Amino acid sequence: MHIDWLNDFLEWAPILLMVLVAVVFLAALKWRSGRLKKSVEEWKRKLVREAEAGHPAAQFQLGRIYRKGDGVEKDPDRAEDWFHKALPGLKQEAEAGDMDAAFYLYDCFHQGLGVEKDDAEALRWLQRAAAGGKPEAMFALALEYREGGMVEKNEDLFMHWLRKAAHEDDRDAQYLLGACYEHGNGVARNLDLAQEWYDRAAEKKDSGEEDGLERAPGK
């Protein structure tokens, strides 16, 4: 009987182990999800406090949250109000050299957030942010030169700003540059370089290096 019990245990042991692993995995996943949700809620509460205290970047981000309905009910009017409040401070900070503020202004004028759409003004702020070293702005400017939205299409300038953004560790730029090398778009086809840029983009994603809880504006 002892041998029969042992045989039964050995037969069921792999299944029991799989069940145990699944239970532990689900518990860990639930715990991690709870932590993330708590972190997001804390971040939003802090954002509201900073916005109400008059911080332009927080006002802009809060406007985006209400515009998208990100964790709150969509409220275009409230979003527009926060964008409108953010604009004077963003302009002041951008003029003083804050490239994040310049990039936010690009988004405001490009999409008409709190202000009338103005592609010329949007392009001015985007170029300033890109020239000032903002990787996301470099990538957005590269896309403008590729698509010909606010500027004339220019393959050379597209590749120029795409490379700069990729070298400044913008993950989207790294992935797109890899695709360019893979398919020979704008550059000589080079599968080794394609793999190198894909790997760099993947490493950045796996390391959790994101641009905050929400990616900065732009495309």
Side-chain angles (χ1 to χ4, degrees):
M1 182 175 293
H2 177 72
I3 294 176
D4 291 340
W5 177 88
L6 181 59
N7 288 335
D8 289 342
F9 175 78
L10 292 175
E11 181 180 349
W12 284 96
I15 298 175
L16 293 173
L17 182 59
M18 289 175 63
V19 171
L20 179 61
V21 169
V23 169
V24 172
F25 174 77
L26 290 174
L29 191 63
K30 184 177 180 180
W31 175 79
R32 184 177 180 183
S33 177
R35 277 193 65 188
L36 180 60
K37 183 177 180 180
K38 183 178 179 181
S39 296
V40 171
E41 290 303 319
E42 289 176 353
W43 175 75
K44 287 181 179 176
R45 284 195 294 270
K46 180 181 178 182
L47 193 66
V48 170
R49 290 196 301 269
E50 292 180 349
E52 291 176 345
H55 295 282
Q59 292 170 338
F60 175 84
Q61 292 287 0
L62 195 56
R64 294 186 75 202
I65 287 175
Y66 280 112
R67 182 170 181 259
K68 293 183 176 182
D70 185 11
V72 298
E73 186 175 348
K74 277 189 178 182
D75 192 330
D77 292 335
R78 185 174 289 185
E80 191 70 7
D81 183 53
W82 281 115
F83 289 134
H84 186 72
K85 288 179 179 179
L87 279 166
L90 290 177
K91 288 181 179 178
Q92 184 177 2
E93 291 182 354
E95 293 289 0
D98 188 324
M99 295 302 103
D100 288 335
F103 193 38
Y104 294 152
L105 284 173
Y106 149 68
D107 214 35
C108 288
F109 284 104
H110 187 47
Q111 299 190 55
L113 308 179
V115 67
E116 290 293 323
K117 288 184 66 174
D118 186 332
D119 282 348
E121 192 70 1
L123 180 61
R124 182 170 79 88
W125 288 114
L126 179 59
Q127 289 174 329
R128 178 177 292 197
K134 178 79 173 170
E136 296 89 343
M138 296 174 185
F139 180 60
L141 186 56
L143 294 183
E144 291 294 342
Y145 280 115
R146 184 184 70 171
E147 298 169 6
M150 297 187 298
V151 295
E152 290 186 13
K153 290 184 179 181
N154 188 312
E155 192 71 22
D156 291 338
L157 288 175
F158 161 63
M159 290 304 306
H160 168 77
W161 286 109
L162 181 64
R163 282 196 179 97
K164 285 183 71 70
H167 282 287
E168 289 295 327
D169 279 345
D170 183 272
R171 178 166 55 87
D172 292 333
Q174 291 171 340
Y175 182 84
L176 182 54
L177 186 56
C180 287
Y181 278 114
E182 180 182 5
H183 302 289
N185 295 334
V187 292
R189 192 164 185 259
N190 188 319
L191 295 183
D192 289 335
L193 285 175
Q195 189 63 54
E196 178 183 332
W197 284 110
Y198 283 144
D199 288 344
R200 287 183 64 170
E203 287 171 6
K204 189 171 179 63
K205 181 177 181 180
D206 291 341
S207 69
E209 292 180 43
E210 301 291 344
D211 303 322
L213 292 172
E214 184 179 5
R215 184 173 172 81
K219 297 189 176 181

